[in-house]
Amino acid sequence: MAEPSSPLFTIMAPPVDGGSGRSLPRSLLALCTLATIFTTIVSLYSILLQLKNYYKPSLQRYVVRILIMPLLYAVASTISLFSLQLAEMIDLMRDLYEAFVIYCFFSLLVEYLSGEGAMLVHLRGRPPKPHLFPLNLIPVSYTHLRAHETGRNL
């Protein structure tokens, strides 16, 4: 068993502004940085392949936007290990981009289903599906929802 004074348990000096990784060994910080570099390379290569074979722009633009997310998460995580001040700014941008990627993912699914118009035609006239438990216990008035959509008061 290694003693607490061995190099395995050596704690590096904290960074200037004290990131969340200030108490981690340098070897672990180096490993995290290498993982980020690997993620960056793989993400950029995947994006490059999508752009090189840009034959379905209506679908591929969403895919490219989604492929940026792992890159952004890896960089944000590594930055937070070294600087908490920079991490606050990066986390804000990451959260905003995450919301945008959720929208892009939904839009990608709609495009895979032949677009919004085709989906509306396909779903027209179908009765709503019953919800699973416990959501089926919540009363839903479709008249109320439609009135809310159009801005009328009931």
Side-chain angles (χ1 to χ4, degrees):
M1 180 99 183
E3 296 178 20
S5 62
S6 71
L8 182 64
F9 291 104
T10 304
I11 297 175
M12 67 176 272
V16 176
D17 65 343
S20 61
R22 67 181 170 266
S23 62
L24 295 175
R26 285 181 194 238
S27 58
L28 190 56
L29 290 174
L31 181 66
C32 293
T33 305
L34 286 175
T36 298
I37 292 169
F38 178 73
T39 302
T40 302
I41 291 169
V42 170
S43 292
L44 290 176
Y45 182 69
S46 298
I47 291 169
L48 178 69
L49 287 178
Q50 284 292 326
L51 295 176
K52 184 179 175 185
N53 300 304
Y54 205 64
Y55 300 120
K56 293 189 176 185
S58 62
L59 297 174
Q60 287 176 295
R61 74 176 135 199
Y62 297 120
V63 173
V64 169
R65 292 172 185 170
I66 292 169
L67 285 174
I68 294 172
M69 200 66 210
L71 169 73
L72 191 59
Y73 265 100
V75 170
S77 298
T78 302
I79 287 175
S80 71
L81 288 174
F82 293 101
S83 172
L84 289 177
Q85 291 174 344
L86 285 175
E88 289 178 13
M89 292 185 289
I90 297 290
D91 285 348
L92 175 65
M93 290 186 290
R94 185 198 68 201
D95 291 344
L96 289 171
Y97 193 77
E98 181 180 5
F100 178 66
V101 165
I102 291 170
Y103 161 75
C104 288
F105 181 70
F106 178 73
S107 298
L108 177 66
L109 293 179
V110 169
E111 283 297 318
Y112 270 127
L113 296 173
S114 301
E116 188 176 354
M119 277 182 46
L120 291 175
V121 168
H122 181 68
L123 295 175
R124 177 161 294 173
R126 287 188 176 195
K129 297 279 184 183
H131 293 293
L132 297 174
F133 180 80
L135 296 177
N136 62 352
L137 301 176
I138 302 171
V140 176
S141 167
Y142 293 104
T143 307
H144 174 72
L145 291 176
R146 185 68 185 154
H148 179 71
E149 247 178 44
T150 58
R152 294 188 322 234
N153 291 329
L154 290 177

